[in-house]
Coordinates of all heavy atoms in Angstrom, one line a residue:
E88 N 8.6 5.4 84.3 CA 8.6 4.6 83.1 C 9.1 3.1 83.4 O 8.4 2.2 82.8 CB 9.6 5.2 82.1 CG 9.6 4.5 80.8 CD 10.5 5.0 79.7 OE1 11.7 4.6 79.7 OE2 10.1 6.0 79.0
R89 N 10.0 2.9 84.3 CA 10.4 1.5 84.6 C 9.1 0.8 85.3 O 8.9 -0.4 85.1 CB 11.6 1.5 85.5 CG 12.9 1.7 84.8 CD 14.1 1.6 85.6 NE 14.1 2.4 86.8 CZ 14.7 3.5 86.9 NH1 15.2 4.1 85.7 NH2 14.8 4.2 87.9
N90 N 8.4 1.5 86.2 CA 7.3 0.9 86.9 C 6.2 0.5 85.8 O 5.6 -0.5 85.9 CB 6.6 2.0 87.9 CG 7.6 2.2 89.1 OD1 8.5 1.4 89.3 ND2 7.4 3.3 89.7
A91 N 6.0 1.4 84.9 CA 5.0 1.1 83.8 C 5.4 -0.1 82.9 O 4.5 -0.8 82.4 CB 5.0 2.3 82.9
N92 N 6.7 -0.4 82.9 CA 7.1 -1.6 82.1 C 7.4 -2.8 82.9 O 8.1 -3.8 82.5 CB 8.2 -1.2 81.3 CG 8.0 -0.3 80.1 OD1 7.1 -0.6 79.2 ND2 8.5 0.9 80.1
A93 N 7.0 -2.8 84.2 CA 7.3 -4.0 85.1 C 6.7 -5.2 84.6 O 7.2 -6.4 84.8 CB 6.6 -3.7 86.5
D94 N 5.6 -5.2 83.7 CA 5.0 -6.5 83.2 C 5.5 -6.6 81.8 O 4.9 -7.5 81.0 CB 3.4 -6.3 83.1 CG 3.0 -5.2 82.2 OD1 3.8 -4.3 81.9 OD2 1.8 -5.2 82.0
W95 N 6.7 -6.1 81.3 CA 7.1 -6.2 80.0 C 7.5 -7.7 79.6 O 7.0 -8.2 78.5 CB 8.4 -5.4 79.8 CG 9.1 -5.5 78.5 CD1 10.3 -5.9 78.1 CD2 8.5 -5.2 77.2 NE1 10.5 -5.9 76.8 CE2 9.5 -5.4 76.2 CE3 7.2 -4.8 76.7 CZ2 9.3 -5.3 74.8 CZ3 7.0 -4.7 75.3 CH2 8.0 -4.9 74.4
S96 N 8.0 -8.4 80.5 CA 8.4 -9.8 80.2 C 7.1 -10.6 80.0 O 7.0 -11.4 79.0 CB 9.2 -10.4 81.3 OG 10.5 -9.8 81.3
A97 N 6.1 -10.4 80.8 CA 4.8 -11.1 80.8 C 4.1 -10.7 79.4 O 3.6 -11.6 78.8 CB 4.0 -10.8 81.9
R98 N 4.2 -9.5 79.1 CA 3.5 -9.1 77.8 C 4.2 -9.7 76.6 O 3.6 -10.1 75.6 CB 3.5 -7.6 77.6 CG 2.5 -6.9 78.5 CD 2.2 -5.5 78.2 NE 3.4 -4.6 78.6 CZ 3.8 -3.7 77.7 NH1 3.2 -3.5 76.5 NH2 4.7 -2.9 78.1
Q99 N 5.6 -9.8 76.6 CA 6.3 -10.4 75.5 C 6.0 -11.9 75.4 O 5.8 -12.4 74.4 CB 7.7 -10.3 75.7 CG 8.4 -8.8 75.4 CD 9.9 -8.8 75.5 OE1 10.4 -9.1 76.6 NE2 10.5 -8.5 74.4
A100 N 5.9 -12.5 76.6 CA 5.6 -13.9 76.6 C 4.2 -14.2 76.0 O 4.0 -15.1 75.2 CB 5.6 -14.5 78.0
K101 N 3.2 -13.4 76.4 CA 1.8 -13.6 75.9 C 1.9 -13.4 74.4 O 1.1 -14.1 73.7 CB 0.9 -12.6 76.6 CG -0.5 -12.7 76.2 CD -1.4 -11.8 76.8 CE -2.9 -12.0 76.5 NZ -3.1 -12.0 75.0
F102 N 2.6 -12.4 73.9 CA 2.6 -12.1 72.4 C 3.2 -13.4 71.7 O 2.7 -13.8 70.7 CB 3.5 -10.9 72.2 CG 3.9 -10.8 70.7 CD1 3.0 -10.4 69.7 CD2 5.2 -11.2 70.3 CE1 3.4 -10.3 68.4 CE2 5.6 -11.2 68.9 CZ 4.6 -10.7 68.0
E103 N 4.2 -14.0 72.3 CA 4.8 -15.2 71.6 C 3.8 -16.3 71.6 O 3.7 -17.0 70.6 CB 6.1 -15.6 72.3 CG 7.2 -14.6 72.1 CD 7.8 -14.3 70.8 OE1 7.5 -15.3 70.0 OE2 8.3 -13.3 70.4
T104 N 3.1 -16.5 72.7 CA 2.1 -17.6 72.7 C 1.0 -17.3 71.7 O 0.6 -18.2 71.0 CB 1.5 -17.7 74.2 OG1 2.5 -17.9 75.1 CG2 0.4 -18.7 74.2
D105 N 0.5 -16.0 71.7 CA -0.6 -15.6 70.7 C -0.2 -15.8 69.3 O -0.8 -16.2 68.4 CB -1.0 -14.2 71.0 CG -1.7 -14.1 72.3 OD1 -2.2 -15.1 73.0 OD2 -1.9 -13.0 72.8
K106 N 1.2 -15.5 69.1 CA 1.8 -15.7 67.7 C 1.8 -17.1 67.3 O 1.4 -17.3 66.1 CB 3.1 -15.0 67.8 CG 3.9 -15.2 66.4 CD 5.3 -14.6 66.5 CE 6.0 -14.8 65.2 NZ 7.5 -14.3 65.3
K107 N 2.2 -18.0 68.2 CA 2.2 -19.4 67.8 C 0.8 -19.9 67.5 O 0.6 -20.7 66.7 CB 2.9 -20.3 69.0 CG 4.3 -20.0 69.1 CD 5.1 -20.4 67.9 CE 6.7 -20.2 68.1 NZ 7.3 -20.6 66.8
V108 N -0.2 -19.5 68.4 CA -1.5 -19.9 68.1 C -2.1 -19.3 66.8 O -2.7 -20.2 66.0 CB -2.6 -19.3 69.3 CG1 -4.0 -19.5 68.9 CG2 -2.1 -20.0 70.6
A109 N -1.7 -18.2 66.5 CA -2.2 -17.6 65.2 C -1.5 -18.3 63.9 O -2.2 -18.6 63.0 CB -1.8 -16.2 65.1
E110 N -0.3 -18.7 64.2 CA 0.4 -19.4 63.1 C -0.3 -20.8 62.9 O -0.5 -21.3 61.8 CB 1.9 -19.6 63.4 CG 2.7 -18.3 63.3 CD 4.1 -18.5 63.9 OE1 4.3 -19.5 64.6 OE2 5.0 -17.6 63.7
A111 N -0.6 -21.5 64.0 CA -1.2 -22.8 63.9 C -2.7 -22.7 63.3 O -3.1 -23.5 62.5 CB -1.4 -23.4 65.3
Q112 N -3.4 -21.7 63.7 CA -4.7 -21.4 63.1 C -4.6 -21.1 61.6 O -5.5 -21.5 60.8 CB -5.4 -20.3 63.9 CG -5.7 -20.6 65.2 CD -7.0 -21.5 65.4 OE1 -7.7 -21.7 64.4 NE2 -7.3 -22.1 66.6
H113 N -3.5 -20.3 61.2 CA -3.4 -20.0 59.9 C -3.0 -21.2 59.1 O -3.5 -21.4 58.0 CB -2.3 -18.9 59.7 CG -2.2 -18.2 58.5 ND1 -1.6 -18.6 57.4 CD2 -2.8 -17.0 58.1 CE1 -1.7 -17.8 56.3 NE2 -2.5 -16.9 56.8
A114 N -2.2 -22.0 59.6 CA -1.8 -23.3 58.8 C -3.1 -24.2 58.6 O -3.2 -24.8 57.5 CB -0.8 -24.1 59.6
T115 N -3.9 -24.3 59.7 CA -5.1 -25.1 59.6 C -6.0 -24.5 58.5 O -6.6 -25.2 57.7 CB -5.9 -25.1 60.9 OG1 -5.0 -25.7 61.9 CG2 -7.2 -25.9 60.8
W116 N -6.2 -23.2 58.5 CA -7.0 -22.5 57.6 C -6.5 -22.7 56.1 O -7.3 -22.9 55.1 CB -7.1 -21.0 57.9 CG -7.8 -20.2 56.8 CD1 -9.1 -20.2 56.4 CD2 -7.1 -19.3 55.9 NE1 -9.4 -19.3 55.5 CE2 -8.1 -18.7 55.1 CE3 -5.8 -18.8 55.7 CZ2 -7.8 -17.8 54.1 CZ3 -5.5 -17.9 54.8 CH2 -6.5 -17.5 54.0
E117 N -5.2 -22.6 56.0 CA -4.6 -22.9 54.6 C -5.0 -24.3 54.1 O -5.2 -24.5 52.9 CB -3.1 -22.7 54.6 CG -2.7 -21.2 54.8 CD -1.2 -21.1 54.8 OE1 -0.5 -22.0 55.3 OE2 -0.7 -20.0 54.3
Q118 N -4.9 -25.3 55.1 CA -5.2 -26.6 54.6 C -6.7 -26.7 54.3 O -7.0 -27.4 53.2 CB -5.1 -27.6 55.8 CG -3.5 -27.7 56.1 CD -3.3 -28.6 57.4 OE1 -4.3 -29.1 58.0 NE2 -2.0 -28.8 57.7
E119 N -7.6 -26.0 54.9 CA -9.1 -26.0 54.6 C -9.2 -25.4 53.2 O -10.1 -25.7 52.4 CB -9.8 -25.2 55.7 CG -9.8 -26.0 57.1 CD -10.4 -25.1 58.2 OE1 -10.8 -23.9 57.9 OE2 -10.6 -25.7 59.2
V120 N -8.5 -24.3 52.9 CA -8.6 -23.6 51.6 C -8.1 -24.5 50.6 O -8.9 -24.6 49.5 CB -7.8 -22.3 51.6 CG1 -7.7 -21.7 50.2 CG2 -8.3 -21.2 52.6
A121 N -7.0 -25.2 50.8 CA -6.6 -26.2 49.7 C -7.6 -27.3 49.5 O -7.9 -27.7 48.3 CB -5.2 -26.8 50.2
A122 N -8.2 -27.8 50.6 CA -9.2 -28.8 50.4 C -10.5 -28.3 49.7 O -11.1 -29.0 48.8 CB -9.6 -29.4 51.8
A123 N -10.9 -27.1 49.9 CA -12.0 -26.5 49.2 C -11.7 -26.3 47.8 O -12.6 -26.4 46.9 CB -12.3 -25.1 49.9
L124 N -10.5 -25.9 47.4 CA -10.2 -25.8 46.0 C -10.2 -27.1 45.3 O -10.7 -27.2 44.2 CB -8.6 -25.2 45.9 CG -8.5 -23.7 46.2 CD1 -7.0 -23.4 46.3 CD2 -9.2 -22.9 45.1
G125 N -9.8 -28.2 45.9 CA -9.9 -29.6 45.4 C -11.3 -30.0 45.1 O -11.5 -30.7 44.1
S126 N -12.1 -29.6 46.0 CA -13.5 -30.2 45.9 C -14.4 -29.1 45.4 O -15.6 -29.4 45.2 CB -14.0 -30.5 47.3 OG -14.0 -29.4 48.2
Q127 N -13.9 -28.0 45.1 CA -14.7 -26.8 44.5 C -15.9 -26.5 45.3 O -16.9 -26.1 44.9 CB -15.2 -27.2 43.0 CG -14.1 -27.3 42.0 CD -14.6 -27.6 40.7 OE1 -15.7 -27.8 40.5 NE2 -13.7 -27.5 39.8
S128 N -15.6 -26.6 46.7 CA -16.7 -26.2 47.6 C -16.4 -24.6 48.1 O -15.6 -24.0 47.7 CB -16.6 -27.1 48.9 OG -15.4 -27.1 49.5
T129 N -17.3 -24.2 48.9 CA -17.3 -22.8 49.4 C -15.9 -22.6 50.2 O -15.5 -23.4 51.1 CB -18.4 -22.6 50.4 OG1 -19.6 -22.8 49.6 CG2 -18.4 -21.0 50.8
M130 N -15.3 -21.5 49.8 CA -14.0 -21.1 50.5 C -14.3 -20.7 51.9 O -15.1 -19.8 52.2 CB -13.4 -20.0 49.8 CG -12.7 -20.4 48.4 SD -11.3 -21.5 48.8 CE -10.9 -22.0 47.1
P131 N -13.5 -21.3 52.8 CA -13.6 -20.8 54.3 C -12.9 -19.6 54.5 O -11.9 -19.2 53.9 CB -12.9 -21.9 55.0 CG -11.8 -22.5 54.0 CD -12.5 -22.3 52.7
E132 N -13.6 -18.6 55.2 CA -13.0 -17.4 55.6 C -11.9 -17.6 56.6 O -12.0 -18.5 57.4 CB -14.0 -16.3 56.1 CG -14.9 -15.9 55.0 CD -15.9 -14.8 55.6 OE1 -15.7 -14.5 56.7 OE2 -16.7 -14.4 54.8

């Protein structure tokens, strides 16, 4: 079991990186949604 988890730190680090990327992408998308509401244009997915 310890051998199977030898990459645990690397997997945690990748998760934290991916999480930050997702948060940034989500924030950008929220801004696009707000802009679309103001201009009554098509909502971005």
Side-chain angles (χ1 to χ4, degrees):
E88 186 181 84
R89 288 192 296 273
N90 291 340
N92 289 301
D94 64 344
W95 174 239
S96 296
R98 288 194 288 135
Q99 282 183 305
K101 184 179 185 305
F102 166 75
E103 294 297 337
T104 300
D105 293 345
K106 179 182 174 184
K107 291 298 182 183
V108 171
E110 289 172 347
Q112 291 284 350
H113 196 275
T115 300
W116 170 72
E117 286 180 331
Q118 292 173 1
E119 293 172 352
V120 169
L124 283 172
S126 62
Q127 296 185 346
S128 58
T129 304
M130 285 292 172
E132 293 186 1

